[in-house]
Amino acid sequence: MPPRPTLVAFVALVTVLVIFFLRLIFVTLPGHSSFYRDTFGPGRSLSVWLENEEDRYALAVQDRQELIKKWGPTDVAVEPYPTHGEFYTIWDFFIPAFQCPHRVQRIGTLGDGGKWVCGLDRVAKQDKCVIYSFGINGESSFESTLLKRAPGCEAWGYDYSVNNWGPEINDDPELKKRAHFKPWALGGTDNHNENDNPKYWTLDSLMNLNAHSFIDILKIDIEGGEFDALTSFLRAHENRDFPVGQLQLEIHARDGREHFESFSRWWASLEAAGLRPFWTEPNLVYINLVRGVRPELAEYSFINIRGNHALVNEAFN
């Protein structure tokens, strides 16, 4: 007996609805550039997304304080890498609880060298953009991929331990035109006189030297020097918008920075500047190469939720 018209119509309607909702889910997965609009419905904006994420991030900060009370009860008493059966490490207090409203993707090689970036498509739409990279170490897949994806970008690289970019840029004449390198170190103070070796520059001094007022993408991997360098940069821009769109940072929580209290204060200074972590991964390559060590290294990516840059500008499209 042929199916009744009402049944056929019902099946057709269900099929259309299933297709619609599947399309909605896959088009607006977190990380898609239009996710914040589609998720919150028509008329909702990027600023609303950021406000909602900031509320959720505040809850994560509260959770951090509760974890400190549990294992402290103050941050002075928290042991970064406990050895008496406690189930945490320092990284469990500082989770990437902020969700980037744009596509998040790994840029550069898999393994050591690649970084997680937020909203590269938006950055790449700009006529001009600025990339700073500290810590090259002969591997430039991250920077070369950024330059290929964003033709309006130029990159400034610094590393006193090598003489130039890695082969990914150095062997590509077209990319090398937009990539500038100096064998200098990033530090918390300026020490770059003629006889200084290596020559240390603060980030603020380098920006002034290069006539830059804003850095779209800032990568720092300088083996522990990030604490003094970023502290100096933050102080130079107190009570002003932090002049960085996003930060890819390897944190080395060891040596003098093992003390949880000092680390916590430093992390809070990043948050006070408007930086919010949206991604992290432990450096397992380091653990594998130096067996038996503590998990002292971790990669973090931060978005700056303030200012008027491509990642937070409501009008940018």
Side-chain angles (χ1 to χ4, degrees), residues 234-282:
L234 290 165
R235 287 174 179 166
H237 293 274
E238 280 182 329
N239 304 317
R240 292 184 286 169
D241 285 340
F242 191 62
V244 174
Q246 62 181 295
L247 168 65
Q248 281 70 39
L249 175 67
E250 182 168 64
I251 302 177
H252 305 74
R254 59 190 181 197
D255 301 329
R257 294 292 174 173
E258 288 181 356
H259 198 289
F260 186 90
E261 181 190 23
S262 62
F263 185 96
S264 183
R265 283 200 314 267
W266 176 79
W267 182 276
S269 70
L270 301 180
E271 293 175 324
L275 294 174
R276 300 290 180 268
F278 65 85
W279 200 279
T280 189
E281 62 183 28

Side-chain angles (χ1 to χ4, degrees), residues 122-151:
R122 291 172 72 91
V123 174
K125 286 180 181 178
Q126 300 176 114
D127 294 332
K128 294 183 179 181
C129 79
V130 173
I131 301 164
Y132 273 42
S133 180
F134 296 94
I136 309 302
N137 195 28
E139 206 287 323
S140 299
S141 63
F142 173 69
E143 297 84 0
S144 66
T145 305
L146 290 176
L147 291 174
K148 289 175 183 176
R149 294 277 303 277

Side-chain angles (χ1 to χ4, degrees), residues 197-250:
N197 186 25
K199 300 183 187 306
Y200 280 88
W201 291 72
T202 65
L203 183 49
D204 213 44
S205 293
L206 287 173
M207 290 182 70
N208 290 332
L209 177 71
N210 298 325
H212 293 146
S213 60
F214 189 82
I215 300 172
D216 292 274
I217 298 176
L218 170 61
K219 186 206 89 173
I220 299 178
D221 182 358
I222 54 175
E223 305 307 313
E226 63 272 10
F227 297 102
D228 290 341
L230 283 172
T231 297
S232 172
F233 191 52
L234 290 165
R235 287 174 179 166
H237 293 274
E238 280 182 329
N239 304 317
R240 292 184 286 169
D241 285 340
F242 191 62
V244 174
Q246 62 181 295
L247 168 65
Q248 281 70 39
L249 175 67
E250 182 168 64

